[in-house]
PDB file of all heavy atoms in Angstrom:
ATOM      1  N   ILE A   8     128.160  74.888 -55.575  1.00 98.00           N
ATOM      2  CA  ILE A   8     127.392  74.477 -56.763  1.00 98.00           C
ATOM      3  C   ILE A   8     125.918  74.436 -56.381  1.00 98.00           C
ATOM      4  O   ILE A   8     125.508  73.647 -55.529  1.00 98.00           O
ATOM      5  CB  ILE A   8     127.842  73.088 -57.268  1.00 98.00           C
ATOM      6  CG1 ILE A   8     129.371  73.022 -57.373  1.00 98.00           C
ATOM      7  CG2 ILE A   8     127.191  72.777 -58.614  1.00 98.00           C
ATOM      8  CD1 ILE A   8     129.900  71.614 -57.627  1.00 98.00           C
ATOM      9  N   GLY A   9     125.134  75.325 -57.002  1.00 98.00           N
ATOM     10  CA  GLY A   9     123.691  75.367 -56.729  1.00 98.00           C
ATOM     11  C   GLY A   9     123.323  76.535 -55.836  1.00 98.00           C
ATOM     12  O   GLY A   9     123.891  76.707 -54.759  1.00 98.00           O
ATOM     13  N   GLY A  11     120.211  77.110 -54.531  1.00 98.00           N
ATOM     14  CA  GLY A  11     118.972  76.925 -53.776  1.00 98.00           C
ATOM     15  C   GLY A  11     119.210  77.469 -52.376  1.00 98.00           C
ATOM     16  O   GLY A  11     120.237  78.117 -52.103  1.00 98.00           O
ATOM     17  N   VAL A  12     118.279  77.200 -51.480  1.00 98.00           N
ATOM     18  CA  VAL A  12     118.423  77.678 -50.101  1.00 98.00           C
ATOM     19  C   VAL A  12     119.745  77.213 -49.500  1.00 98.00           C
ATOM     20  O   VAL A  12     120.492  77.991 -48.901  1.00 98.00           O
ATOM     21  CB  VAL A  12     117.252  77.129 -49.251  1.00 98.00           C
ATOM     22  CG1 VAL A  12     117.546  77.224 -47.784  1.00 98.00           C
ATOM     23  CG2 VAL A  12     115.991  77.895 -49.561  1.00 98.00           C
ATOM     24  N   SER A  13     120.046  75.931 -49.697  1.00 98.00           N
ATOM     25  CA  SER A  13     121.229  75.367 -49.059  1.00 98.00           C
ATOM     26  C   SER A  13     122.505  76.029 -49.581  1.00 98.00           C
ATOM     27  O   SER A  13     123.393  76.384 -48.799  1.00 98.00           O
ATOM     28  CB  SER A  13     121.261  73.859 -49.321  1.00 98.00           C
ATOM     29  OG  SER A  13     121.996  73.221 -48.337  1.00 98.00           O
ATOM     30  N   PHE A  31     127.661  78.964 -58.321  1.00 98.00           N
ATOM     31  CA  PHE A  31     127.287  78.686 -59.716  1.00 98.00           C
ATOM     32  C   PHE A  31     125.913  78.040 -59.754  1.00 98.00           C
ATOM     33  O   PHE A  31     125.682  77.014 -59.109  1.00 98.00           O
ATOM     34  CB  PHE A  31     128.334  77.772 -60.364  1.00 98.00           C
ATOM     35  CG  PHE A  31     129.663  78.454 -60.501  1.00 98.00           C
ATOM     36  CD1 PHE A  31     130.596  78.402 -59.469  1.00 98.00           C
ATOM     37  CD2 PHE A  31     129.966  79.181 -61.644  1.00 98.00           C
ATOM     38  CE1 PHE A  31     131.817  79.054 -59.580  1.00 98.00           C
ATOM     39  CE2 PHE A  31     131.182  79.838 -61.762  1.00 98.00           C
ATOM     40  CZ  PHE A  31     132.112  79.783 -60.730  1.00 98.00           C
ATOM     41  N   GLU A  32     125.021  78.650 -60.518  1.00 98.00           N
ATOM     42  CA  GLU A  32     123.626  78.189 -60.573  1.00 98.00           C
ATOM     43  C   GLU A  32     123.212  78.050 -62.036  1.00 98.00           C
ATOM     44  O   GLU A  32     123.370  78.983 -62.818  1.00 98.00           O
ATOM     45  CB  GLU A  32     122.727  79.204 -59.839  1.00 98.00           C
ATOM     46  CG  GLU A  32     121.241  79.069 -60.091  1.00 98.00           C
ATOM     47  CD  GLU A  32     120.668  77.690 -59.768  1.00 98.00           C
ATOM     48  OE1 GLU A  32     120.905  77.187 -58.661  1.00 98.00           O
ATOM     49  OE2 GLU A  32     119.989  77.119 -60.641  1.00 98.00           O
ATOM     50  N   SER A  33     122.642  76.909 -62.369  1.00 98.00           N
ATOM     51  CA  SER A  33     122.326  76.684 -63.785  1.00 98.00           C
ATOM     52  C   SER A  33     121.110  77.495 -64.258  1.00 98.00           C
ATOM     53  O   SER A  33     121.022  77.866 -65.419  1.00 98.00           O
ATOM     54  CB  SER A  33     122.091  75.198 -64.042  1.00 98.00           C
ATOM     55  OG  SER A  33     120.970  74.772 -63.333  1.00 98.00           O
ATOM     56  N   GLY A  38     117.295  80.230 -56.084  1.00 98.00           N
ATOM     57  CA  GLY A  38     116.126  79.739 -55.339  1.00 98.00           C
ATOM     58  C   GLY A  38     115.890  78.250 -55.460  1.00 98.00           C
ATOM     59  O   GLY A  38     115.371  77.625 -54.551  1.00 98.00           O
ATOM     60  N   GLY A  39     116.237  77.669 -56.627  1.00 98.00           N
ATOM     61  CA  GLY A  39     115.967  76.241 -56.811  1.00 98.00           C
ATOM     62  C   GLY A  39     114.486  75.961 -56.614  1.00 98.00           C
ATOM     63  O   GLY A  39     113.635  76.622 -57.220  1.00 98.00           O
ATOM     64  N   ASN A  40     114.181  75.031 -55.746  1.00 98.00           N
ATOM     65  CA  ASN A  40     112.778  74.671 -55.493  1.00 98.00           C
ATOM     66  C   ASN A  40     112.009  75.757 -54.755  1.00 98.00           C
ATOM     67  O   ASN A  40     110.784  75.727 -54.722  1.00 98.00           O
ATOM     68  CB  ASN A  40     112.711  73.383 -54.666  1.00 98.00           C
ATOM     69  CG  ASN A  40     112.740  72.157 -55.542  1.00 98.00           C
ATOM     70  OD1 ASN A  40     111.839  71.944 -56.341  1.00 98.00           O
ATOM     71  ND2 ASN A  40     113.787  71.367 -55.418  1.00 98.00           N
ATOM     72  N   CYS A  41     112.726  76.670 -54.131  1.00 98.00           N
ATOM     73  CA  CYS A  41     112.050  77.744 -53.407  1.00 98.00           C
ATOM     74  C   CYS A  41     111.929  78.940 -54.354  1.00 98.00           C
ATOM     75  O   CYS A  41     112.838  79.772 -54.449  1.00 98.00           O
ATOM     76  CB  CYS A  41     112.838  78.116 -52.155  1.00 98.00           C
ATOM     77  SG  CYS A  41     111.948  79.285 -51.124  1.00 98.00           S
ATOM     78  N   GLY A  53     105.677  79.105 -55.822  1.00 97.00           N
ATOM     79  CA  GLY A  53     105.912  77.682 -56.079  1.00 97.00           C
ATOM     80  C   GLY A  53     106.457  76.919 -54.898  1.00 97.00           C
ATOM     81  O   GLY A  53     106.886  75.782 -55.058  1.00 97.00           O
ATOM     82  N   CYS A  54     106.469  77.518 -53.720  1.00 97.00           N
ATOM     83  CA  CYS A  54     107.076  76.756 -52.627  1.00 97.00           C
ATOM     84  C   CYS A  54     106.362  76.958 -51.296  1.00 97.00           C
ATOM     85  O   CYS A  54     105.447  76.213 -50.981  1.00 97.00           O
ATOM     86  CB  CYS A  54     108.559  77.089 -52.511  1.00 97.00           C
ATOM     87  SG  CYS A  54     109.385  76.161 -51.200  1.00 97.00           S
ATOM     88  N   ILE A  55     106.801  77.939 -50.526  1.00 97.00           N
ATOM     89  CA  ILE A  55     106.463  77.993 -49.092  1.00 97.00           C
ATOM     90  C   ILE A  55     104.966  77.836 -48.820  1.00 97.00           C
ATOM     91  O   ILE A  55     104.147  78.642 -49.273  1.00 97.00           O
ATOM     92  CB  ILE A  55     106.956  79.320 -48.471  1.00 97.00           C
ATOM     93  CG1 ILE A  55     108.476  79.427 -48.617  1.00 97.00           C
ATOM     94  CG2 ILE A  55     106.550  79.409 -46.992  1.00 97.00           C
ATOM     95  CD1 ILE A  55     109.063  80.758 -48.173  1.00 97.00           C
ATOM     96  N   GLN A  56     104.646  76.772 -48.118  1.00 95.00           N
ATOM     97  CA  GLN A  56     103.300  76.610 -47.571  1.00 95.00           C
ATOM     98  C   GLN A  56     103.353  77.104 -46.121  1.00 95.00           C
ATOM     99  O   GLN A  56     102.472  77.772 -45.647  1.00 95.00           O
ATOM    100  CB  GLN A  56     102.857  75.145 -47.571  1.00 95.00           C
ATOM    101  CG  GLN A  56     103.203  74.375 -48.842  1.00 95.00           C
ATOM    102  CD  GLN A  56     102.260  74.677 -49.980  1.00 95.00           C
ATOM    103  OE1 GLN A  56     101.058  74.569 -49.813  1.00 95.00           O
ATOM    104  NE2 GLN A  56     102.785  75.063 -51.125  1.00 95.00           N
ATOM    105  N   TRP A  57     104.407  76.718 -45.453  1.00 94.00           N
ATOM    106  CA  TRP A  57     104.676  77.161 -44.080  1.00 94.00           C
ATOM    107  C   TRP A  57     106.180  77.065 -43.879  1.00 94.00           C
ATOM    108  O   TRP A  57     106.825  76.175 -44.413  1.00 94.00           O
ATOM    109  CB  TRP A  57     103.907  76.306 -43.070  1.00 94.00           C
ATOM    110  CG  TRP A  57     104.195  74.845 -43.208  1.00 94.00           C
ATOM    111  CD1 TRP A  57     103.743  74.013 -44.197  1.00 94.00           C
ATOM    112  CD2 TRP A  57     105.035  74.050 -42.383  1.00 94.00           C
ATOM    113  NE1 TRP A  57     104.243  72.754 -44.023  1.00 94.00           N
ATOM    114  CE2 TRP A  57     105.029  72.737 -42.915  1.00 94.00           C
ATOM    115  CE3 TRP A  57     105.772  74.307 -41.230  1.00 94.00           C
ATOM    116  CZ2 TRP A  57     105.741  71.698 -42.341  1.00 94.00           C
ATOM    117  CZ3 TRP A  57     106.485  73.259 -40.660  1.00 94.00           C
ATOM    118  CH2 TRP A  57     106.456  71.982 -41.220  1.00 94.00           C
ATOM    119  N   THR A 244     124.732  79.289 -65.299  1.00 98.00           N
ATOM    120  CA  THR A 244     126.047  78.646 -65.381  1.00 98.00           C
ATOM    121  C   THR A 244     125.956  77.246 -64.775  1.00 98.00           C
ATOM    122  O   THR A 244     125.818  77.094 -63.561  1.00 98.00           O
ATOM    123  CB  THR A 244     127.103  79.486 -64.608  1.00 98.00           C
ATOM    124  OG1 THR A 244     126.971  80.856 -65.007  1.00 98.00           O
ATOM    125  CG2 THR A 244     128.504  79.014 -64.887  1.00 98.00           C
ATOM    126  N   THR A 245     126.031  76.249 -65.638  1.00 98.00           N
ATOM    127  CA  THR A 245     125.860  74.862 -65.187  1.00 98.00           C
ATOM    128  C   THR A 245     127.210  74.205 -64.938  1.00 98.00           C
ATOM    129  O   THR A 245     128.086  74.249 -65.804  1.00 98.00           O
ATOM    130  CB  THR A 245     125.110  74.053 -66.274  1.00 98.00           C
ATOM    131  OG1 THR A 245     123.930  74.772 -66.611  1.00 98.00           O
ATOM    132  CG2 THR A 245     124.752  72.661 -65.786  1.00 98.00           C
ATOM    133  N   VAL A 246     127.342  73.620 -63.787  1.00 98.00           N
ATOM    134  CA  VAL A 246     128.579  72.891 -63.484  1.00 98.00           C
ATOM    135  C   VAL A 246     128.415  71.481 -64.041  1.00 98.00           C
ATOM    136  O   VAL A 246     127.394  70.834 -63.805  1.00 98.00           O
ATOM    137  CB  VAL A 246     128.806  72.856 -61.956  1.00 98.00           C
ATOM    138  CG1 VAL A 246     130.027  72.023 -61.606  1.00 98.00           C
ATOM    139  CG2 VAL A 246     128.941  74.283 -61.415  1.00 98.00           C
ATOM    140  N   ALA A 276     125.730  71.768 -53.371  1.00 98.00           N
ATOM    141  CA  ALA A 276     124.411  72.034 -52.771  1.00 98.00           C
ATOM    142  C   ALA A 276     123.339  71.661 -53.789  1.00 98.00           C
ATOM    143  O   ALA A 276     122.347  72.359 -53.964  1.00 98.00           O
ATOM    144  CB  ALA A 276     124.299  73.494 -52.352  1.00 98.00           C
ATOM    145  N   VAL A 277     123.598  70.554 -54.489  1.00 98.00           N
ATOM    146  CA  VAL A 277     122.651  70.066 -55.497  1.00 98.00           C
ATOM    147  C   VAL A 277     122.092  68.731 -55.032  1.00 98.00           C
ATOM    148  O   VAL A 277     122.518  68.174 -54.024  1.00 98.00           O
ATOM    149  CB  VAL A 277     123.334  69.913 -56.876  1.00 98.00           C
ATOM    150  CG1 VAL A 277     123.872  71.250 -57.367  1.00 98.00           C
ATOM    151  CG2 VAL A 277     124.471  68.884 -56.824  1.00 98.00           C
ATOM    152  N   MET A 281     122.469  64.258 -58.962  1.00 98.00           N
ATOM    153  CA  MET A 281     123.291  65.170 -59.776  1.00 98.00           C
ATOM    154  C   MET A 281     124.750  65.076 -59.321  1.00 98.00           C
ATOM    155  O   MET A 281     125.680  64.977 -60.130  1.00 98.00           O
ATOM    156  CB  MET A 281     122.738  66.599 -59.629  1.00 98.00           C
ATOM    157  CG  MET A 281     123.632  67.715 -60.104  1.00 98.00           C
ATOM    158  SD  MET A 281     124.107  67.649 -61.835  1.00 98.00           S
ATOM    159  CE  MET A 281     122.655  68.155 -62.692  1.00 98.00           C
ATOM    160  N   LEU A 369      98.783  71.316 -54.993  1.00 98.00           N
ATOM    161  CA  LEU A 369      99.941  70.435 -55.148  1.00 98.00           C
ATOM    162  C   LEU A 369      99.440  68.995 -55.125  1.00 98.00           C
ATOM    163  O   LEU A 369      98.881  68.545 -54.126  1.00 98.00           O
ATOM    164  CB  LEU A 369     100.919  70.695 -53.992  1.00 98.00           C
ATOM    165  CG  LEU A 369     102.221  69.919 -53.956  1.00 98.00           C
ATOM    166  CD1 LEU A 369     103.019  70.095 -55.237  1.00 98.00           C
ATOM    167  CD2 LEU A 369     103.066  70.366 -52.764  1.00 98.00           C
ATOM    168  N   PHE A 426     109.883  70.363 -62.547  1.00 97.00           N
ATOM    169  CA  PHE A 426     110.784  70.462 -61.384  1.00 97.00           C
ATOM    170  C   PHE A 426     112.169  69.938 -61.754  1.00 97.00           C
ATOM    171  O   PHE A 426     113.186  70.495 -61.364  1.00 97.00           O
ATOM    172  CB  PHE A 426     110.229  69.665 -60.188  1.00 97.00           C
ATOM    173  CG  PHE A 426     109.004  70.296 -59.565  1.00 97.00           C
ATOM    174  CD1 PHE A 426     107.791  69.640 -59.536  1.00 97.00           C
ATOM    175  CD2 PHE A 426     109.073  71.564 -59.009  1.00 97.00           C
ATOM    176  CE1 PHE A 426     106.662  70.224 -58.973  1.00 97.00           C
ATOM    177  CE2 PHE A 426     107.953  72.161 -58.438  1.00 97.00           C
ATOM    178  CZ  PHE A 426     106.750  71.489 -58.423  1.00 97.00           C
ATOM    179  N   TYR A 429     114.068  72.485 -64.028  1.00 96.00           N
ATOM    180  CA  TYR A 429     114.583  73.702 -63.387  1.00 96.00           C
ATOM    181  C   TYR A 429     115.567  73.433 -62.251  1.00 96.00           C
ATOM    182  O   TYR A 429     116.407  74.274 -61.961  1.00 96.00           O
ATOM    183  CB  TYR A 429     113.420  74.570 -62.882  1.00 96.00           C
ATOM    184  CG  TYR A 429     112.744  75.293 -64.022  1.00 96.00           C
ATOM    185  CD1 TYR A 429     111.475  74.942 -64.443  1.00 96.00           C
ATOM    186  CD2 TYR A 429     113.415  76.307 -64.706  1.00 96.00           C
ATOM    187  CE1 TYR A 429     110.869  75.581 -65.509  1.00 96.00           C
ATOM    188  CE2 TYR A 429     112.822  76.953 -65.779  1.00 96.00           C
ATOM    189  CZ  TYR A 429     111.551  76.586 -66.179  1.00 96.00           C
ATOM    190  OH  TYR A 429     110.968  77.219 -67.237  1.00 96.00           O
ATOM    191  N   CYS A 430     115.423  72.295 -61.581  1.00 96.00           N
ATOM    192  CA  CYS A 430     116.282  72.065 -60.397  1.00 96.00           C
ATOM    193  C   CYS A 430     117.225  70.887 -60.573  1.00 96.00           C
ATOM    194  O   CYS A 430     118.052  70.636 -59.704  1.00 96.00           O
ATOM    195  CB  CYS A 430     115.422  71.841 -59.157  1.00 96.00           C
ATOM    196  SG  CYS A 430     114.409  73.260 -58.775  1.00 96.00           S
ATOM    197  N   HIS A 431     117.079  70.140 -61.664  1.00 96.00           N
ATOM    198  CA  HIS A 431     117.921  68.958 -61.923  1.00 96.00           C
ATOM    199  C   HIS A 431     117.838  67.959 -60.778  1.00 96.00           C
ATOM    200  O   HIS A 431     118.848  67.369 -60.388  1.00 96.00           O
ATOM    201  CB  HIS A 431     119.388  69.354 -62.145  1.00 96.00           C
ATOM    202  CG  HIS A 431     119.565  70.438 -63.146  1.00 96.00           C
ATOM    203  ND1 HIS A 431     119.395  70.228 -64.487  1.00 96.00           N
ATOM    204  CD2 HIS A 431     119.859  71.751 -63.001  1.00 96.00           C
ATOM    205  CE1 HIS A 431     119.594  71.361 -65.132  1.00 96.00           C
ATOM    206  NE2 HIS A 431     119.863  72.303 -64.252  1.00 96.00           N
ATOM    207  N   TYR A 437     111.058  67.268 -54.949  1.00 95.00           N
ATOM    208  CA  TYR A 437     111.273  68.562 -54.298  1.00 95.00           C
ATOM    209  C   TYR A 437     111.529  68.398 -52.806  1.00 95.00           C
ATOM    210  O   TYR A 437     111.873  69.350 -52.123  1.00 95.00           O
ATOM    211  CB  TYR A 437     110.105  69.523 -54.557  1.00 95.00           C
ATOM    212  CG  TYR A 437     108.769  69.059 -54.052  1.00 95.00           C
ATOM    213  CD1 TYR A 437     108.410  69.260 -52.731  1.00 95.00           C
ATOM    214  CD2 TYR A 437     107.870  68.422 -54.894  1.00 95.00           C
ATOM    215  CE1 TYR A 437     107.186  68.827 -52.253  1.00 95.00           C
ATOM    216  CE2 TYR A 437     106.642  67.994 -54.432  1.00 95.00           C
ATOM    217  CZ  TYR A 437     106.306  68.197 -53.108  1.00 95.00           C
ATOM    218  OH  TYR A 437     105.100  67.767 -52.639  1.00 95.00           O
ATOM    219  N   MET A 438     111.336  67.184 -52.296  1.00 93.00           N
ATOM    220  CA  MET A 438     111.801  66.858 -50.941  1.00 93.00           C
ATOM    221  C   MET A 438     112.326  65.436 -51.020  1.00 93.00           C
ATOM    222  O   MET A 438     111.701  64.577 -51.633  1.00 93.00           O
ATOM    223  CB  MET A 438     110.681  66.977 -49.908  1.00 93.00           C
ATOM    224  CG  MET A 438     110.528  68.408 -49.433  1.00 93.00           C
ATOM    225  SD  MET A 438     109.156  68.677 -48.333  1.00 93.00           S
ATOM    226  CE  MET A 438     109.779  68.064 -46.806  1.00 93.00           C
ATOM    227  N   GLY A 465     122.740  70.617 -49.034  1.00 97.00           N
ATOM    228  CA  GLY A 465     121.499  70.281 -49.746  1.00 97.00           C
ATOM    229  C   GLY A 465     120.577  69.490 -48.841  1.00 97.00           C
ATOM    230  O   GLY A 465     121.016  68.803 -47.918  1.00 97.00           O
ATOM    231  N   GLN A 466     119.283  69.581 -49.156  1.00 96.00           N
ATOM    232  CA  GLN A 466     118.301  68.907 -48.310  1.00 96.00           C
ATOM    233  C   GLN A 466     118.479  67.389 -48.307  1.00 96.00           C
ATOM    234  O   GLN A 466     118.072  66.723 -47.367  1.00 96.00           O
ATOM    235  CB  GLN A 466     116.897  69.269 -48.755  1.00 96.00           C
ATOM    236  CG  GLN A 466     116.574  68.823 -50.165  1.00 96.00           C
ATOM    237  CD  GLN A 466     115.095  68.923 -50.468  1.00 96.00           C
ATOM    238  OE1 GLN A 466     114.276  69.000 -49.567  1.00 96.00           O
ATOM    239  NE2 GLN A 466     114.748  68.941 -51.730  1.00 96.00           N
ATOM    240  N   GLY A 473     113.293  69.843 -46.813  1.00 94.00           N
ATOM    241  CA  GLY A 473     112.556  71.085 -46.571  1.00 94.00           C
ATOM    242  C   GLY A 473     113.532  72.236 -46.366  1.00 94.00           C
ATOM    243  O   GLY A 473     114.752  72.039 -46.244  1.00 94.00           O
ATOM    244  N   LEU A 474     112.990  73.441 -46.338  1.00 97.00           N
ATOM    245  CA  LEU A 474     113.829  74.643 -46.306  1.00 97.00           C
ATOM    246  C   LEU A 474     114.731  74.729 -45.071  1.00 97.00           C
ATOM    247  O   LEU A 474     115.928  74.998 -45.197  1.00 97.00           O
ATOM    248  CB  LEU A 474     112.945  75.894 -46.405  1.00 97.00           C
ATOM    249  CG  LEU A 474     112.162  75.997 -47.719  1.00 97.00           C
ATOM    250  CD1 LEU A 474     111.047  77.009 -47.616  1.00 97.00           C
ATOM    251  CD2 LEU A 474     113.102  76.353 -48.856  1.00 97.00           C
ATOM    252  N   PRO A 475     114.194  74.524 -43.852  1.00 96.00           N
ATOM    253  CA  PRO A 475     115.065  74.714 -42.685  1.00 96.00           C
ATOM    254  C   PRO A 475     116.235  73.738 -42.660  1.00 96.00           C
ATOM    255  O   PRO A 475     117.361  74.121 -42.331  1.00 96.00           O
ATOM    256  CB  PRO A 475     114.132  74.470 -41.491  1.00 96.00           C
ATOM    257  CG  PRO A 475     112.940  73.779 -42.034  1.00 96.00           C
ATOM    258  CD  PRO A 475     112.818  74.185 -43.468  1.00 96.00           C
ATOM    259  N   ALA A 477     117.584  72.140 -45.257  1.00 97.00           N
ATOM    260  CA  ALA A 477     118.506  72.489 -46.349  1.00 97.00           C
ATOM    261  C   ALA A 477     119.410  73.637 -45.886  1.00 97.00           C
ATOM    262  O   ALA A 477     120.620  73.657 -46.154  1.00 97.00           O
ATOM    263  CB  ALA A 477     117.717  72.895 -47.588  1.00 97.00           C
TER     264      ALA A 477
HETATM  265  C1  FAD B 501     105.505  73.062 -54.274  1.00 83.28           C
HETATM  266  C2  FAD B 501     106.515  72.994 -53.176  1.00 83.28           C
HETATM  267  C3  FAD B 501     106.144  73.303 -51.887  1.00 83.28           C
HETATM  268  C4  FAD B 501     107.085  73.257 -50.854  1.00 83.28           C
HETATM  269  N1  FAD B 501     106.708  73.666 -49.615  1.00 83.28           N
HETATM  270  C5  FAD B 501     107.620  73.743 -48.628  1.00 83.28           C
HETATM  271  C6  FAD B 501     107.274  74.302 -47.373  1.00 83.28           C
HETATM  272  O1  FAD B 501     106.164  74.750 -47.167  1.00 83.28           O
HETATM  273  N2  FAD B 501     108.219  74.330 -46.397  1.00 83.28           N
HETATM  274  C7  FAD B 501     109.476  73.837 -46.594  1.00 83.28           C
HETATM  275  O2  FAD B 501     110.290  73.880 -45.667  1.00 83.28           O
HETATM  276  N3  FAD B 501     109.840  73.318 -47.793  1.00 83.28           N
HETATM  277  C8  FAD B 501     108.949  73.264 -48.811  1.00 83.28           C
HETATM  278  N4  FAD B 501     109.302  72.760 -50.037  1.00 83.28           N
HETATM  279  C9  FAD B 501     110.616  72.100 -50.180  1.00 83.28           C
HETATM  280  C10 FAD B 501     111.756  73.101 -50.411  1.00 83.28           C
HETATM  281  O3  FAD B 501     111.480  73.875 -51.520  1.00 83.28           O
HETATM  282  C11 FAD B 501     113.058  72.335 -50.619  1.00 83.28           C
HETATM  283  O4  FAD B 501     113.256  71.471 -49.524  1.00 83.28           O
HETATM  284  C12 FAD B 501     114.276  73.254 -50.684  1.00 83.28           C
HETATM  285  O5  FAD B 501     114.030  74.329 -51.535  1.00 83.28           O
HETATM  286  C13 FAD B 501     115.503  72.467 -51.123  1.00 83.28           C
HETATM  287  O6  FAD B 501     116.608  73.318 -51.156  1.00 83.28           O
HETATM  288  P1  FAD B 501     118.042  72.845 -51.658  1.00 83.28           P
HETATM  289  O7  FAD B 501     118.894  74.043 -51.673  1.00 83.28           O
HETATM  290  O8  FAD B 501     118.489  71.671 -50.873  1.00 83.28           O
HETATM  291  O9  FAD B 501     117.818  72.275 -53.136  1.00 83.28           O
HETATM  292  P2  FAD B 501     117.246  72.932 -54.469  1.00 83.28           P
HETATM  293  O10 FAD B 501     116.197  73.905 -54.168  1.00 83.28           O
HETATM  294  O11 FAD B 501     116.905  71.787 -55.359  1.00 83.28           O
HETATM  295  O12 FAD B 501     118.478  73.732 -55.060  1.00 83.28           O
HETATM  296  C14 FAD B 501     119.478  73.144 -55.838  1.00 83.28           C
HETATM  297  C15 FAD B 501     119.943  74.176 -56.843  1.00 83.28           C
HETATM  298  O13 FAD B 501     121.053  73.654 -57.541  1.00 83.28           O
HETATM  299  C16 FAD B 501     120.939  73.989 -58.904  1.00 83.28           C
HETATM  300  N5  FAD B 501     121.725  73.012 -59.665  1.00 83.28           N
HETATM  301  C17 FAD B 501     121.493  71.676 -59.766  1.00 83.28           C
HETATM  302  N6  FAD B 501     122.433  71.106 -60.515  1.00 83.28           N
HETATM  303  C18 FAD B 501     123.276  72.090 -60.889  1.00 83.28           C
HETATM  304  C19 FAD B 501     124.468  72.127 -61.666  1.00 83.28           C
HETATM  305  N7  FAD B 501     124.969  71.027 -62.222  1.00 83.28           N
HETATM  306  N8  FAD B 501     125.092  73.314 -61.849  1.00 83.28           N
HETATM  307  C20 FAD B 501     124.605  74.460 -61.291  1.00 83.28           C
HETATM  308  N9  FAD B 501     123.483  74.472 -60.556  1.00 83.28           N
HETATM  309  C21 FAD B 501     122.831  73.307 -60.348  1.00 83.28           C
HETATM  310  C22 FAD B 501     119.457  73.908 -59.176  1.00 83.28           C
HETATM  311  O14 FAD B 501     119.105  74.640 -60.330  1.00 83.28           O
HETATM  312  C23 FAD B 501     118.899  74.507 -57.891  1.00 83.28           C
HETATM  313  O15 FAD B 501     118.777  75.900 -57.993  1.00 83.28           O
HETATM  314  C24 FAD B 501     108.403  72.823 -51.103  1.00 83.28           C
HETATM  315  C25 FAD B 501     108.779  72.525 -52.416  1.00 83.28           C
HETATM  316  C26 FAD B 501     107.849  72.615 -53.444  1.00 83.28           C
HETATM  317  C27 FAD B 501     108.292  72.356 -54.845  1.00 83.28           C
END
Side-chain angles (χ1 to χ4, degrees):
I8 312 170
V12 163
S13 204
F31 294 88
E32 165 56 51
S33 64
N40 273 297
C41 187
C54 181
I55 300 174
Q56 317 282 307
W57 56 286
T244 312
T245 308
V246 176
V277 299
M281 165 59 75
L369 182 56
F426 289 118
Y429 284 109
C430 298
H431 310 287
Y437 61 83
M438 276 175 78
Q466 63 167 342
L474 297 164

